Amino acid sequence: MASIRLFFLSPTHLCCWVVWLLLSSSCSSPQKKSRQPSAAELALARQQQLHQDSLQADSVAKVHGELPGAILPESRIVAYYGNPLHKSMGILGQYPQDEMLRRLSEQIEEWEAADPKRPVRPALHLTAIIAQRDSGADGKYRASLPDSTIQRMIALGRQQHALVFLDVQVGLSTLPEELPRLAPYLRLPFVHLGIDPEFSMKSGRRPGTEVGEFDAQDVNYARRFLADIVSENHLPPKVLVVHRFRQDMVTNYQDIKTDPRVQIVMDMDGWGTPKIKRGSYRKFIKQQPVEFAGFKLFYKNDQRPGSRLMTPAEVAALDPKPLYIQYQ
């Protein structure tokens, strides 16, 4: 079937066109007094200048505010998180593969029962670049999973019709240094990205000694990186998960820019009692929204003495509704 491509002026080209139009109108007739641009023309130029870092999607059209193939908000993602090589880092690596998949399937059934009107997409969320206690040869306090392990999990995701998330803990490195090595995997339509401010150590201290941070500039870089991959490879929109459990983990959130090619999820990452988790969600997700909301549940830490694991029905009732759910 022949595809139909819709062509748009990119924001940069459109901004230049507006400036050219304004200049040509003032220069075409030397005898006439230079015309001042109208408020509408200035507003258009400012708007396009503001968004010039975000390429226009060149082969897709918006449908109901989202691009075709967008996962959110029509579906909810339920992910198992961890490192397949380490049992202590989460449910993804805690059990043998078949047992892990069985548990994920049962968890998804609970979500389908709690919110039957919203389809559930299973996901495997693995830490592909992991903060370390040792500095390593380059002093960046992070290490990558072997390519063979990442490829094995991507193959499992493909086999199970599951999404795959690659999570990045930069340590003393940066997103511009780390994300390019994941580009070959992110070119696959079902592979998405997570970034973890907790282990972004802008202070220069060792990961784990204090809580790190990302600024809006970091999140915007990850968004642009994914958006370019989407446009260059004609992919459906990517999901970008940003973990958060304290206000100072994401600074200048109001400067985070959205893009229809990248669906940004702010994921409430803290553990504790249901009361504590609801309070954190109100403070750091509801009061500082970006685009979509996420919620993390800990099979162990949420069930310490005096606490319990929140049910899917309880989490689904939160406002705004979390559309990305992660279990560790």
Side-chain angles (χ1 to χ4, degrees):
M1 181 181 295
S3 62
I4 299 175
R5 176 170 295 196
L6 303 179
F7 292 92
F8 301 91
L9 284 173
S10 73
T12 303
H13 291 160
L14 185 54
C15 182
C16 294
W17 178 82
V18 172
V19 172
W20 173 85
L21 181 63
L22 297 179
L23 290 175
S24 63
S25 66
S26 63
C27 299
S28 59
S29 178
Q31 294 80 13
K32 294 182 180 180
K33 187 177 179 180
S34 180
R35 182 178 74 85
Q36 294 297 316
S38 69
E41 289 169 334
L42 287 174
L44 177 60
R46 281 196 299 268
Q47 181 183 18
Q48 297 305 326
Q49 184 68 30
L50 186 64
H51 291 86
Q52 67 179 351
D53 67 329
S54 177
L55 300 173
Q56 188 71 270
D58 61 358
S59 62
V60 290
K62 283 190 176 183
V63 179
H64 304 304
E66 303 297 337
L67 296 180
I71 298 171
L72 308 173
E74 296 303 319
S75 298
R76 174 178 279 117
I77 300 168
V78 174
Y80 263 14
Y81 170 92
N83 180 340
L85 301 181
H86 293 278
K87 293 182 178 182
S88 62
M89 289 188 66
I91 187 71
L92 190 62
Q94 185 175 350
Y95 298 99
Q97 181 175 293
D98 289 347
E99 175 69 5
M100 180 272 294
L101 292 173
R102 183 188 67 79
R103 289 172 178 266
L104 176 58
S105 179
E106 290 178 351
Q107 194 66 76
I108 288 171
E109 288 177 1
E110 290 186 23
W111 274 97
E112 290 173 335
D115 190 3
K117 293 183 179 180
R118 196 181 304 272
V120 177
R121 299 288 300 272
L124 308 174
H125 193 129
L126 66 150
T127 49
I129 299 174
I130 310 165
Q132 304 289 304
R133 291 185 177 274
D134 297 325
S135 63
D138 60 1
K140 296 300 178 69
Y141 288 89
R142 54 86 183 91
S144 300
L145 280 181
D147 284 334
S148 59
T149 302
I150 297 175
Q151 292 164 3
R152 176 168 59 85
M153 296 307 296
I154 287 176
L156 180 62
R158 190 194 304 273
Q159 176 191 347
Q160 298 294 319
H161 305 287
L163 306 173
V164 175
F165 285 81
L166 304 180
D167 209 80
V168 177
Q169 302 173 356
V170 299
L172 271 64
S173 184
T174 64
L175 292 175
E177 289 181 84
E178 301 303 324
L179 293 191
R181 73 181 64 182
L182 299 179
Y185 304 121
L186 292 167
R187 293 188 188 110
L188 296 170
F190 62 95
V191 178
H192 303 269
L193 180 66
I195 58 176
D196 196 343
E198 181 179 1
F199 301 102
S200 170
M201 311 309 295
K202 295 181 182 294
S203 67
R205 297 188 63 184
R206 178 171 59 82
T209 59
E210 65 182 13
V211 175
E213 67 181 74
F214 277 137
D215 186 71
Q217 291 183 354
D218 300 301
V219 180
N220 285 335
Y221 171 81
R223 169 186 56 79
R224 291 193 301 269
F225 184 85
L226 289 175
D228 287 346
I229 288 178
V230 168
S231 286
E232 290 166 5
N233 298 277
H234 307 291
L235 300 174
K238 292 290 184 183
V239 178
L240 171 62
V241 174
V242 184
H243 306 291
R244 186 179 196 183
F245 59 85
R246 280 182 17 177
Q247 186 170 16
D248 56 0
M249 287 176 68
V250 179
T251 55
N252 300 307
Y253 87 96
Q254 69 279 359
D255 294 330
I256 297 173
K257 307 302 181 186
T258 58
D259 184 309
R261 294 165 295 172
V262 181
Q263 301 193 298
I264 301 175
V265 173
M266 298 301 292
D267 175 40
M268 205 294 289
D269 192 19
W271 55 268
T273 65
K275 181 179 180 180
I276 290 174
K277 293 173 76 77
R278 289 190 183 98
S280 298
Y281 191 76
R282 285 193 300 270
K283 292 178 190 175
F284 311 132
I285 305 300
K286 184 174 183 177
Q287 292 181 15
Q288 296 194 354
V290 175
E291 192 170 10
F292 297 101
F295 199 86
K296 187 166 183 176
L297 295 150
F298 294 78
Y299 283 121
K300 290 185 177 180
N301 286 345
D302 282 351
Q303 299 194 83
R304 291 186 174 190
S307 184
R308 63 175 178 81
L309 193 70
M310 292 180 68
T311 67
E314 289 174 318
V315 177
L318 293 171
D319 178 32
K321 288 187 178 297
L323 297 181
Y324 171 86
I325 309 299
Q326 185 181 98
Y327 287 87
Q328 179 170 339

